[in-house]
Amino acid sequence: MNVGVVGLGFVGLSVSCVFADKGINVHGVDIDEQKLSMINEKKSPFYEPQINQILDKVLNKSLYVNSNLEECVKNSEIVFVCVGTPSNSDGSSNLDYLKKTCKEISEFLNKIHDEKFRIIVIKSTVPPQTIESEIIPLMEKKSSNLMGTKLDICSNPEFLKEGSAIEDMSNPHLVIIGTNNEKTKKKMNHFYSKLYSNSINIMNTTIVNSELIKYTNNSFLATKISFINNIANICNKIPGADVEIIAEAIGMDPRIGKMFLKAGPGYGGSCFPKDVAGFLNFVKLRGYSMPILESTHNINEKQPFEIIKMIKNKLGDIENKTISILGLSFKKNTDDIREAVSIKIVKSLLEQNAKIKVNDPMAMDNFRKIFGEQIEYSDSIESCLSNSECCVILTEWDDFRKIQPKKFLEFMKKPIIIDARRVFDINKFKDLVDITALGHGQ
Ligand code: UDX
């Protein structure tokens, strides 16, 4: 089977690699020539575990990438659209790339005179009703009534996570197929059952439910995080309280579940902040309200400042004090700093004239693009700690978890540690260094 993937960003390239690795012929398309030349050299434009190994295996065998959308549409039975739908300043989703792509696909379809029935699958996250009220009419208009007979649009949101994209895509907990057309439903079910040898859960639903599932899913997970962060901030104030113990216990209740209960400096990344803002905007425009999600958003906006409070509680005035930040990416195993809490925290500390040193295994180049020479980039954990008066852990990289108290004592001017990700065993650390851990009341 030949499929197309349009947009080779994080989702598109991960999807392309897994499809190609499972024997599907994939034609990937992107407009960014720099990105294409990197992929054609078997190098992923972003860091993601396993992706380069798969590229090495599949490129120019079952995966071909270039900028030729027309050829991609012509040769494919299913075209997965994975272009970005970033946030506008009011939180609404910017659908420009998606509309442009769908318009172009329709124009190319007009020129093709074969008998194929093609399905355009929208993987990009969109507000509910977008596909039926905007995308389908746009494609119908441009492709002179091919819709339903030779063309259909389907919603198939993606749930993969950065840092474990290949694993998530290879073993998805669920595949949602949102379509109102029987033929499309049959074809898409056949595609995914063959791809995963029937071993996965497929849910068939309507287009609008599929769109809503993606927003609701991400909103619920973000709410779980804000909820536990709220509890962590309360625990900070209660001597002897520990959010980790509380999260472990409530997570054992099968009605709650243990995942996404890790307190931290706030969620970031390319999805949660954007999708929460997008859902809130969608709800507001329709005259409804969702106070619970507003709180999720507000708690997350304030959470980085809880970490700054923890720093100032220990250091007092931070002017001219040297602070080391370990971890810049929005989570471990990625070089992505989109909406990363580290950006907000470093900006605020710089405004208060602190001196900042940073270290991250993967994200330093991206951070340099924002902060340039305003901060010091350390190649090693040791040099980042050297002469520092406070060390803040912002990302839970495994390398940071392995640091022993003696390293802080050896390299820092004063061994003050703010563990905003709970990577250290507080009982082991507390008698040796001055440690404040998020959600651990002292
Ligand atoms: C998320 C969704 O999980 C995924 O299904 C969707 O397709 C895209 O958005 P991603 O943004 O890659 O994936 O990462 P995720 O692991 O969900 O983490 C998002 C943010 O929440 C990170 O900043 C992470 O550090 C934070 N987080 C996550 C917590 O603070 N605590 C947790 O318990 C879990």
Side-chain angles (χ1 to χ4, degrees):
M1 149 104 62
N2 295 327
V3 306
V5 176
V6 188
L8 297 175
F10 179 72
V11 170
L13 187 58
S14 306
V15 164
S16 300
C17 282
V18 172
F19 283 175
D21 198 32
K22 287 181 176 285
I24 307 279
N25 291 320
V26 182
H27 181 163
V29 172
D30 203 286
I31 49 168
D32 183 338
E33 290 296 340
Q34 210 182 338
K35 196 181 270 179
L36 289 170
S37 55
M38 279 188 81
I39 300 172
N40 273 318
E41 283 167 24
K42 301 184 174 176
K43 284 188 207 130
S44 166
F46 49 84
Y47 172 73
E48 178 63 36
Q50 300 183 52
I51 208 159
N52 282 344
Q53 289 94 307
I54 302 188
L55 271 178
D56 192 45
K57 220 163 99 186
V58 300
L59 193 81
N60 297 331
K61 295 193 180 86
S62 46
L63 171 66
Y64 295 85
V65 303
N66 57 35
S67 55
N68 194 336
L69 181 60
E70 183 167 8
E71 190 187 275
C72 164
V73 174
K74 193 170 171 204
N75 295 334
S76 307
E77 288 163 63
I78 305 177
V79 179
F80 293 85
V81 179
C82 305
V83 296
T85 48
S87 277
N88 291 317
S89 54
D90 62 356
S92 61
S93 297
N94 183 332
L95 302 174
D96 291 354
Y97 302 122
L98 179 65
K99 286 184 179 169
K100 182 173 170 278
T101 304
C102 291
K103 190 171 151 247
E104 282 173 14
I105 292 176
S106 310
E107 283 163 0
F108 294 137
L109 282 169
N110 269 331
K111 296 195 219 160
I112 304 171
H113 300 289
D114 61 16
E115 291 310 310
K116 264 188 206 150
F117 177 75
R118 288 181 176 78
I119 305 174
I120 311 302
V121 179
I122 310 295
K123 269 207 176 286
S124 309
T125 303
V126 292
Q129 298 176 310
T130 299
I131 298 181
E132 282 167 296
S133 62
E134 299 192 51
I135 305 300
I136 293 180
L138 179 140
M139 293 194 78
E140 255 170 352
K141 193 168 143 207
K142 293 278 163 199
S143 57
S144 36
N145 304 325
L146 298 175
M147 195 69 70
T149 52
K150 291 177 78 178
L151 161 70
D152 195 33
I153 322 284
C154 156
S155 165
N156 171 220
E158 191 45 66
F159 296 99
L160 55 80
K161 305 185 289 301
E162 295 193 27
S164 56
I166 300 300
E167 178 59 32
D168 292 347
M169 186 66 207
S170 304
N171 301 292
H173 69 280
L174 176 67
V175 170
I176 304 279
I177 299 173
T179 172
N180 308 338
N181 177 309
E182 270 308 306
K183 196 166 167 182
T184 303
K185 180 175 151 186
K186 243 183 165 168
K187 260 196 121 168
M188 290 302 297
N189 276 278
H190 179 72
F191 172 78
Y192 275 119
S193 322
K194 257 190 100 181
L195 186 77
Y196 295 115
S197 329
N198 279 323
S199 58
I200 47 147
N201 295 320
I202 297 181
M203 180 187 259
N204 290 286
T205 184
T206 57
I207 292 178
V208 75
N209 277 334
S210 172
E211 293 168 321
L212 263 162
I213 286 166
K214 174 71 185 186
Y215 260 11
T216 308
N217 202 104
N218 276 354
S219 297
F220 192 83
L221 291 173
T223 301
K224 251 185 132 176
I225 298 169
S226 279
F227 184 89
I228 204 68
N229 284 344
N230 208 162
I231 300 288
N233 300 341
I234 295 167
C235 286
N236 274 347
K237 296 183 178 62
I238 306 174
D242 188 351
V243 71
E244 292 270 284
I245 308 278
I246 293 161
E248 188 186 344
I250 66 167
M252 284 181 191
D253 184 331
R255 293 168 299 178
I256 296 176
K258 64 180 189 255
M259 296 179 88
F260 282 69
L261 283 181
K262 182 84 187 163
Y267 57 77
S270 62
C271 289
F272 286 172
K274 171 175 84 77
D275 293 352
V276 167
F279 204 8
L280 283 172
N281 183 272
F282 168 83
V283 162
K284 192 172 146 202
L285 285 178
R286 274 149 189 83
Y288 310 128
S289 72
M290 200 169 164
I292 195 163
L293 198 57
E294 278 163 26
S295 297
T296 296
H297 170 78
N298 292 338
I299 291 167
N300 199 57
E301 287 290 295
K302 288 190 193 130
Q303 193 63 6
F305 299 97
E306 291 291 329
I307 309 303
I308 291 176
K309 260 193 233 161
M310 289 162 73
I311 300 171
K312 289 172 100 172
N313 271 346
K314 280 290 160 189
L315 288 184
D317 185 8
I318 57 172
E319 183 159 3
N320 286 324
K321 300 250 167 82
T322 303
I323 300 174
S324 328
I325 306 285
L326 292 183
L328 304 174
S329 54
F330 82 97
K331 58 188 267 192
K332 72 170 183 175
N333 291 343
T334 175
D335 59 1
D336 198 343
I337 58 163
R338 281 176 289 175
E339 299 292 327
V341 169
S342 58
I343 300 174
K344 290 182 194 160
I345 291 183
V346 168
K347 267 191 185 150
S348 172
L349 295 175
L350 282 175
E351 274 161 20
Q352 298 174 65
N353 296 320
K355 291 183 183 150
I356 306 295
K357 295 171 87 175
V358 299
N359 173 263
D360 187 284
M362 288 292 162
M364 296 232 280
D365 288 345
N366 285 334
F367 217 65
R368 204 185 288 270
K369 288 178 198 154
I370 298 180
F371 288 98
E373 300 311 311
Q374 294 181 78
I375 59 174
E376 193 179 319
Y377 304 87
S378 306
D379 287 336
S380 65
I381 294 171
E382 290 79 3
S383 66
C384 190
L385 296 181
S386 165
N387 277 322
S388 153
E389 285 152 273
C390 177
C391 170
V392 189
I393 312 290
L394 285 187
T395 315
E396 71 287 16
W397 285 97
D398 292 345
D399 284 355
F400 301 153
R401 231 176 253 286
K402 290 180 200 145
I403 308 173
Q404 294 299 317
K406 65 175 192 286
K407 186 155 274 178
F408 294 108
L409 289 165
E410 189 181 341
F411 288 93
M412 291 178 75
K413 201 159 158 187
K414 284 188 205 142
I416 295 176
I417 299 155
I418 308 292
D419 184 359
R421 287 284 189 174
R422 300 298 302 265
V423 295
F424 300 128
D425 179 346
I426 186 123
N427 292 322
K428 204 169 123 195
F429 272 58
K430 71 177 192 294
D431 295 333
L432 301 167
V433 289
D434 185 347
I435 182 165
T436 310
L438 175 71
H440 189 274
Q442 284 172 328

